Amino acid sequence: MAAHMRERWGSGRGFLLATLGSAVGLGNVWRFSYVAGENGGGAFLLVYLVMVFLVGVPLLLGEFALGRSTQRESAAAFETLAPASRWRHLGLLGVIVAGLILAYYAVIAGWVLKYLSLHLMGSTQEFAAAGFANAFRGFIAHPLEPIAWQFTVMALTVAVVTGGVERGIEAVSKLLMPALGLLLLALAIHSVTLPGFWQGVAFLLQPDWRALTRPQVYLAALGQAFFSMGLAMGVMVTYGSYVAPQRRLPRAAVTIAIGDTLFAIVAGLVIFPAVFSFGLDPAQGPALAFVVLPEVFAQMKGGAWVGAAFFVLLAIAALTSAVSLLEVAVAFAMHRFGWSRKRASLGLGALIFVLGVPASLGFGPWAGLTGIGGRGILDVMDFVAANILLPLNGLLIAVFLGWVWRRRDALAACDLPSSRLGRFWYFSVRYTVPLLVAVVLVRSAWTG
Ligand code: PHE
């Protein structure tokens, strides 16, 4: 497709909201809260902030610049910039990781829809009677029901992406992201009224310095930053490619980093006070959102409403993120194979749905299939994607930005002429990011 025919964001605000929609997802609410819970709360938050600004922002800006300067999706962007070297294949890795992540992301998003429907219909009593942990295990072990919800997620995602960049993704983001913000605000205000509010605040904001001596905290923080900011999956390259040349990128990158982080922190201030108010344990791992919180909502006054609001919020966050992951693959197939948007969305949506089915079955009929330290299928996919492929791809992208792309071109593409900010960015992608990520990768390869 010629560059002048390329789809574009209708406005700068639309670009920001769509990108924020991609960044704010299950990662901010479901993943952030349990990872922070497992890694000491406040200390984790501190390390996380450092990772976001030292690693996340420079990479985010670099990815936007790759997309906008080439006006191409992830795979083609690298082919355009390095046609004759091996680096031309790098963008394809992002496309593959995006597809892989979406496959299991849709499974978890499907659980969210199930819990949303339970709360909307006020039918959580059944779950309460069985015990929330048992009920959750029973639900995800069912051979068909979770797959039906996963299918629903994929169908919604395909519907949005089929609508196109401006009339699908951007329109939906403009509609849903303000609603998401309002819901979070309402939940946060409600949270202040809970007896465990200050305990929750202390857990999240008071650093426990001893946690800083544990290397896993750094691994977890970096992995979370990649996942939450949607880095190294081709998303930000692809979304950047729909940005008009005259828009300034550095401010967008910083805005998104701050927005994404604030969202996670406020979500934590909703979740932890609730957990403490009812004497439950914050370090529950992935079950936090699906076991601990429903129990909290069941005990809370007006909890049916709060629970419904919470799962609406989670569903919106998940959908706008899933959309961005599918868009990466769709933009790739449109460019590479000349497919129409509709054909690419339907075909790839179906393929990714099928790829995700085993992840769901892994909690039920295929529970016997485990790997990499006894993990089930979904956890293996998450481990390979989030802990290995994402950092690896991020490392390679940083090396490309800092060592392969000509300094002057890279800085110009980032809208950073040789200012102090430009020097900081260049130093980051050249040294800080590769070094930090390499250390983390090696450590996580060790610890499994
Ligand atoms: N950033 C999203 C989240 O926090 C997930 C996501 C990952 C979205 C990768 C796009 C790309 O949940």
Side-chain angles (χ1 to χ4, degrees), residues 100-358:
L100 183 66
I101 293 188
L102 179 55
Y104 69 83
Y105 199 80
V107 173
I108 302 168
W111 301 349
V112 170
L113 289 190
K114 162 74 178 180
Y115 274 74
L116 171 58
S117 80
L118 281 178
H119 283 85
L120 282 182
M121 303 187 314
S123 49
T124 49
Q125 301 92 326
E126 273 170 60
F127 268 52
F132 282 97
N134 279 332
F136 176 59
R137 254 182 267 126
F139 162 63
I140 62 176
H142 194 279
L144 287 179
E145 198 191 338
I147 295 176
W149 290 108
Q150 174 210 354
F151 181 85
T152 311
V153 170
M154 287 307 300
L156 287 170
T157 307
V158 166
V160 175
V161 172
T162 304
V165 173
E166 188 180 347
R167 292 173 52 196
I169 303 173
E170 182 173 349
V172 166
S173 306
K174 278 181 168 164
L175 184 74
L176 293 183
M177 292 310 287
L180 190 66
L182 285 178
L183 269 174
L184 185 68
L185 198 67
L187 284 170
I189 292 172
H190 173 263
S191 173
V192 178
T193 67
L194 294 175
F197 178 69
W198 290 108
Q199 206 182 342
V201 171
F203 177 74
L204 193 61
L205 299 185
Q206 218 170 61
D208 164 11
W209 300 111
R210 277 164 314 172
L212 291 178
T213 60
R214 304 200 329 247
Q216 312 88 282
V217 173
Y218 299 84
L219 309 184
L222 189 73
Q224 176 62 18
F226 267 99
F227 191 89
S228 188
M229 295 179 71
L231 297 171
M233 316 180 207
V235 171
M236 297 307 173
V237 181
T238 303
Y239 273 23
S241 76
Y242 304 132
V243 175
Q246 66 274 18
R247 241 176 260 302
R248 291 283 160 265
L249 295 178
R251 183 180 298 182
V254 172
T255 307
I256 289 155
I258 293 176
D260 184 61
T261 305
L262 264 184
F263 201 96
I265 293 174
V266 177
L269 292 181
V270 169
I271 291 171
F272 293 118
V275 170
F276 285 116
S277 296
F278 295 93
L280 296 165
D281 179 6
Q284 275 287 319
L288 192 59
F290 297 103
V291 175
V292 180
L293 289 182
E295 190 166 344
V296 166
F297 298 140
Q299 295 179 26
M300 193 185 268
K301 213 164 109 240
W305 288 103
V306 180
F310 177 80
F311 283 105
V312 171
L313 173 134
L314 214 49
I316 293 176
L319 179 69
T320 48
S321 294
V323 159
S324 71
L325 288 166
L326 184 60
E327 176 64 18
V328 172
V330 164
F332 167 74
M334 285 169 67
H335 181 86
R336 175 68 55 100
F337 309 126
W339 290 2
S340 71
R341 173 167 284 278
K342 190 168 169 202
R343 175 167 178 201
S345 315
L346 277 173
L348 291 165
L351 178 74
I352 292 170
F353 165 70
V354 171
L355 213 69
V357 167

Side-chain angles (χ1 to χ4, degrees), residues 91-101 233 328 355 389:
L92 194 58
L93 189 56
V95 177
I96 294 169
V97 184
L100 183 66
I101 293 188
M233 316 180 207
V328 172
L355 213 69
L389 295 177

